[in-house]
Amino acid sequence: MTQAFAKDNASTDKPSARDRWTPRLSRRDWEAISNPRRIALVGASGRTSSVSFTSRFLKTNEDLGYTGEIFLVNPSRSEIMGRKCWPDLASLPEPPDIVAINLPDEKVLPAVEDAIARGAGALMVHSGGFLERGAAGAERQKELQRLCGEARIPALGPNCLGFLSFTNRVSISSFKIAAGISAGSIAAISQSGSVASLLQNIAGHHGLSFLASTGNEAVTGAEDLLDYAIEDPATRLIVAFVEGLRNPPDLFRLAERAHAANKPIIILKAGLTQPGGEVSRGHTGAIAGSGAVYRQALRQANIILVDDFDELAQVVELAASWAVRPASCRVGMLGTSGGELGTVTDQCAEHGVALPALAPETISQLQSALHLPADVWPRNPVDVGVGFNVPGSYQERMRRAIRTVAGDPSVDVVAVLQDFNRDNPDLTNSLNREILDAAAKESSSIGKPMLVMASRAGFADDEVLSGVREAGVPALQGSRDGLRAIRLLEIYSKRMAHWKSSSAVASSRADENTPTIAFTADGTNGQSELFQYLAEAGLPAPPMRRIDSREEAERAASELGPRVAMKIDTARVVHKSDVGGVALDVAPETAARAYDELLACLEPPVGTLPGEGVVVAAQIDSGVEVYVGAKQDESFGVVVVFGLGGRLLEILDRNAMLVMPFDEADALDAIERSGVRPYLDGFRGGPVTDFDKLARMIVRVGQLAVGAGKRLEVLELNPVIINSRHPGGVIADARLLFFPERRS
């Protein structure tokens, strides 16, 4: 039995943010969570331990100065901590805006029903014992979803710490406010409660708009809070810790809306090393593992992905401190230690941070400002500590050098490398304080972004940094993580510039001209039918003919020649050449013998099983062999891989991935990232590639894969040969496989 996939599979399309947007949370829902005037706590307790939900909840709201009403609910108590206690929700004088539930797991669902009956606008379920507790917990979570879905009510949790709004001065959580934390413009969202507290410490000294722990996300999840952080006028920067997302393709929509609002999103994603190369009849599944797909999707969406908490802290420090983010981050660096500057120079090369050569005028001015001998010429990075016979203070010397470097036209960012520790008990005689204060004093007048950076992390002294902090200069701790932060912000800024200048919306829709192709119950199709399908879809697939006899082999070789390629057409092997299943440079007079040899290359012989045979196509001149493959990813839908193809595919790791939707600019970027480009630019007299045509081929493969729907297992073009006759590539071999039909 054969089947055919439809021309359009609209259900797989990922909507653009430029399409109509419908929020998951209504304005009323969001107000109930973020700015409630009446809060009910079901399961209130009189315990005053450091981990007591009730005591933390009350203390935090007291510290915030919450002015709304708090209803404590416990049928066994008339008073808790000097507050009146109500026996149940039904006895409350007014419906609460939000109900926080802190009960044993078996009592949660009745409390949810009571809250819905009382007219609550939202829920926060602190209690555990749901999906994380096996089959019984999973059933309990499913019922929670049903109750909230029918009532159309948002719910944070279960198994979460809750929500704290610094902007609206209210907490529906067990968070304890860390010292020095105040209201500000960073939204911090975490699926882990303990990590949420860590995010408060990382971002808190810049000021938080809200802090959220989403837990099991039975009803309301991280994507919902990201949605409203983008809408929230108090939020300027969004930081999130994510273990998994319920609908990963939504990241593209969220990212576009965040870009339009000029709000960077920084994500630390757990689980990126999870093995993702599922068993497949194609290469693409092994290359495009789940962690790699997540990384690429975040890259395309221009969401800043960090690798660990140290890196997160430095990116937040930089992004939160710079009111205006530079489009480019070519660094002019200064310091007082030649050894440290030399080490950091190596790290700049490793992490892609540019240290541009200074202009001759800048070098001359530096030589004068630093009173250097005529034969000593400074360079970037600038060692301000060369020689000590200079009149005036060290601070004045550094200030002159900073002004000079900042004036160089090739410098976008000025960085001062100096330790942050207390190098002298008497701060009036502290070199570190003197140099950092020089940076602070010059930061407002040089007209370019500035930062200070310490080679080591964990030795910062608040008093040494006080001048820098007051001036709003970012202070990066640890040169490796600091340089990574600079590079990540630069990549973000450059991709933002591309996003703003691009009017085209990447499409994942299979257009009306997409043809259909038949496939059997086991998900296979014939080579000649496949090449005809690819050609009709607008891809460079040469004519291919199926032959079933020695006479047909001779005739096809004569008509398609003067030289042809012959190969077996069977699903039994992936690498036909490994079993002698490919014959090249075949002339008409040798076609019959080649046909016999191809049939005999397998046991049982080719043609014994249904659908097998031999195909013939015109011989393609040699050239550079590349690979384009697509598959369905369980998280993001279609992913496409481009790389070096042919027999080198599995030996040389030269490939790059794309996640649909993407456009030709993304495809060109993938060609660059793959490491294949040097082979395509006329290497040693080789062909010069038409990169625009090659990029269009990559985009088209993605569109065909989307059109194939979720039955698609893999679509692979390998090799695509690029030569002087076909500078945009021509397909020499291909496979299109569907998952076998499920049998009941």
Side-chain angles (χ1 to χ4, degrees):
M1 182 180 70
T2 61
Q3 303 177 46
F5 68 75
K7 292 183 178 180
D8 193 15
N9 189 353
S11 64
T12 64
D13 289 348
K14 303 178 183 72
S16 164
R18 301 176 197 187
D19 297 333
R20 186 173 180 180
W21 168 67
T22 303
R24 270 183 278 254
L25 294 174
S26 69
R27 177 61 60 183
R28 178 179 177 275
D29 294 338
W30 180 242
E31 283 293 309
I33 293 172
S34 68
N35 194 24
R37 304 315 303 155
R38 293 179 297 276
I39 307 170
L41 171 57
V42 178
S45 165
R47 292 192 298 272
T48 57
S49 71
S50 61
V51 295
S52 165
F53 182 90
T54 303
S55 62
R56 277 198 174 187
F57 165 74
L58 293 174
K59 179 67 168 62
T60 301
N61 276 298
E62 179 183 336
D63 291 344
L64 289 169
Y66 177 62
T67 58
E69 295 183 84
I70 293 176
F71 303 117
L72 303 181
V73 178
N74 187 325
S76 303
R77 302 285 296 270
S78 61
E79 181 182 289
I80 290 178
M81 298 180 190
R83 291 174 175 267
K84 179 179 179 179
C85 197
W86 303 79
D88 50 43
L89 290 171
S91 63
L92 299 183
E94 295 179 89
D97 295 315
I98 189 168
V99 173
I101 299 174
N102 181 40
L103 292 168
D105 51 18
E106 70 277 4
K107 296 183 179 182
V108 170
L109 294 178
V112 169
E113 292 174 329
D114 290 346
I116 292 171
R118 189 64 183 93
L123 302 173
M124 193 286 285
V125 182
H126 175 67
S127 313
F130 287 78
L131 192 61
E132 78 282 4
R133 287 280 183 89
E139 283 300 313
R140 195 175 292 118
Q141 182 155 317
K142 187 176 180 180
E143 180 64 10
L144 173 62
Q145 290 172 329
R146 185 190 68 79
L147 290 170
C148 293
E150 290 179 356
R152 302 179 67 83
I153 183 173
L156 292 173
N159 190 32
C160 76
L161 297 191
F163 185 96
L164 190 159
S165 173
F166 289 88
T167 303
N168 297 323
R169 309 183 72 80
V170 61
S171 172
I172 310 95
S173 75
S174 61
F175 288 125
K176 182 179 180 180
I177 301 176
I181 308 299
S182 61
S185 60
I186 302 177
I189 302 163
S190 173
Q191 293 175 327
S192 160
S194 59
V195 172
S197 297
L198 186 56
L199 294 184
Q200 180 184 187
N201 291 322
I202 287 174
H205 72 274
H206 291 288
L208 296 173
S209 54
F210 70 79
L211 175 66
S213 156
T214 58
N216 289 12
E217 299 188 353
V219 181
T220 302
E223 296 104 315
D224 304 307
L225 298 182
L226 284 168
D227 246 341
Y228 262 92
I230 295 167
E231 290 291 297
D232 180 23
T235 296
R236 191 173 67 90
L237 178 67
I238 303 166
V239 181
F241 173 79
V242 173
E243 295 170 283
L245 294 173
R246 295 174 299 174
N247 187 28
D250 260 7
L251 284 174
F252 291 98
R253 177 183 62 81
L254 289 168
E256 283 206 39
R257 294 186 51 246
H259 298 338
N262 197 29
K263 296 183 181 183
I265 300 175
I266 305 168
I267 284 183
L268 174 57
K269 169 75 172 69
L272 287 176
T273 58
Q274 175 183 347
E278 67 270 24
V279 177
S280 171
R281 292 175 289 177
H283 298 287
T284 314
I287 297 172
S290 61
V293 173
Y294 249 105
R295 284 185 180 276
Q296 178 56 29
L298 291 169
R299 174 189 173 90
Q300 279 178 228
N302 200 21
I303 292 173
I304 302 171
L305 176 66
V306 296
D307 289 334
D308 56 38
F309 291 105
D310 289 331
E311 192 172 281
L312 174 65
Q314 304 317 305
V315 175
V316 169
E317 174 74 15
L318 202 55
S321 300
W322 277 349
V324 178
R325 286 176 284 276
S328 177
C329 290
R330 297 171 299 174
V331 175
M333 187 175 293
L334 308 95
T336 59
S337 167
E340 288 186 51
L341 289 170
T343 300
V344 172
T345 299
D346 292 339
Q347 293 175 345
C348 284
E350 177 186 352
H351 296 294
V353 175
L355 293 171
L358 300 176
E361 295 81 2
T362 306
I363 294 173
S364 178
Q365 291 170 17
L366 279 171
Q367 192 180 44
S368 174
L370 299 178
H371 295 266
L372 297 176
D375 58 347
V376 177
W377 296 94
R379 61 180 182 177
N380 189 16
V382 180
D383 184 358
V384 184
V386 174
F388 291 92
N389 56 339
V390 179
S393 69
Y394 226 123
Q395 184 177 125
E396 292 170 350
R397 183 182 192 182
M398 178 60 78
R399 291 185 67 175
R400 289 196 301 270
I402 288 172
R403 288 195 297 270
T404 303
V405 170
D408 191 283
S410 66
V411 169
D412 304 310
V413 174
V414 177
V416 173
L417 183 69
Q418 192 71 28
D419 288 340
F420 297 166
N421 63 299
R422 184 183 287 258
D423 55 321
N424 193 316
D426 179 8
L427 286 180
T428 60
N429 292 313
S430 165
L431 176 63
N432 290 345
R433 173 70 179 267
E434 191 174 354
I435 297 301
L436 294 176
D437 280 356
K441 291 173 180 177
E442 290 298 321
S443 62
S444 62
S445 60
I446 61 174
K448 291 181 179 179
M450 173 175 279
L451 62 91
V452 296
M453 182 168 64
S455 296
R456 300 179 302 162
F459 298 90
D461 184 283
D462 288 338
E463 289 190 66
V464 172
L465 281 171
S466 60
V468 165
R469 296 293 191 201
E470 290 173 8
V473 175
L476 305 182
Q477 299 189 45
S479 56
R480 185 173 296 276
D481 290 324
L483 292 172
R484 281 278 297 158
I486 294 169
R487 180 59 177 156
L488 288 172
L489 261 293
E490 180 176 39
I491 292 171
Y492 172 81
S493 295
K494 288 182 176 179
R495 292 189 69 87
M496 273 295 291
H498 169 72
W499 180 84
K500 289 178 179 178
S501 65
S502 175
S503 59
V505 179
S507 173
S508 63
R509 190 182 300 274
D511 62 34
E512 296 178 356
N513 297 320
T514 302
T516 61
I517 185 171
F519 57 94
T520 61
D522 69 352
T524 62
N525 43 68
Q527 281 281 293
S528 59
E529 293 84 3
L530 173 56
F531 268 65
Q532 181 181 349
Y533 160 78
L534 294 174
E536 291 175 357
L539 290 170
M544 181 172 288
R545 188 178 302 178
R546 177 73 174 263
I547 58 173
D548 295 308
S549 68
R550 302 174 87 248
E551 292 74 22
E552 288 185 10
E554 292 176 341
R555 186 163 53 250
S558 296
E559 294 174 356
L560 297 174
R563 292 288 188 269
V564 296
M566 300 173 63
K567 59 185 176 180
I568 57 176
D569 187 4
T570 175
R572 278 192 273 166
V573 293
V574 173
H575 300 290
K576 302 178 181 69
S577 59
D578 288 353
V579 297
V582 178
L584 300 176
D585 206 30
V586 178
E589 59 270 20
T590 60
R593 184 173 72 250
Y595 176 76
D596 292 339
E597 292 172 350
L598 289 172
L599 292 181
C601 74
L602 294 178
E603 184 59 42
V606 175
T608 305
L609 302 181
E612 292 186 338
V614 175
V615 292
V616 182
Q619 177 81 35
I620 300 171
D621 293 338
S622 63
V624 180
E625 297 184 350
V626 297
Y627 166 93
V628 184
K631 72 153 194 163
Q632 281 282 354
D633 176 73
E634 63 180 11
S635 296
F636 284 94
V638 169
V639 298
V640 177
V641 174
F642 169 82
L644 202 59
R647 295 183 177 183
L648 298 177
L649 172 64
E650 294 158 318
I651 300 174
L652 299 179
D653 184 20
R654 289 183 179 268
N655 55 70
M657 186 196 315
L658 292 159
V659 178
M660 288 294 280
F662 62 86
D663 58 19
E664 290 176 22
D666 292 315
L668 289 169
D669 177 65
I671 295 170
E672 195 74 41
R673 288 187 290 111
S674 70
V676 179
R677 172 142 191 165
Y679 298 96
L680 304 177
D681 250 342
F683 177 71
R684 290 194 171 182
V688 177
T689 302
D690 186 330
F691 290 102
D692 290 337
K693 281 188 178 180
L694 183 57
R696 286 195 290 272
M697 181 193 301
I698 296 170
V699 171
R700 188 58 173 150
V701 167
Q703 291 172 336
L704 295 183
V706 169
K710 294 185 178 180
R711 282 286 306 274
L712 173 76
E713 182 175 354
V714 67
L715 168 59
E716 294 183 330
L717 314 181
N718 183 39
V720 173
I721 297 177
I722 297 171
N723 54 34
S724 57
R725 186 177 178 185
H726 302 284
V730 60
I731 301 168
D733 200 1
R735 283 189 301 160
L736 175 59
L737 301 173
F738 296 85
F739 288 110
E741 188 176 19
R742 294 181 180 177
R743 297 179 181 178
S744 57

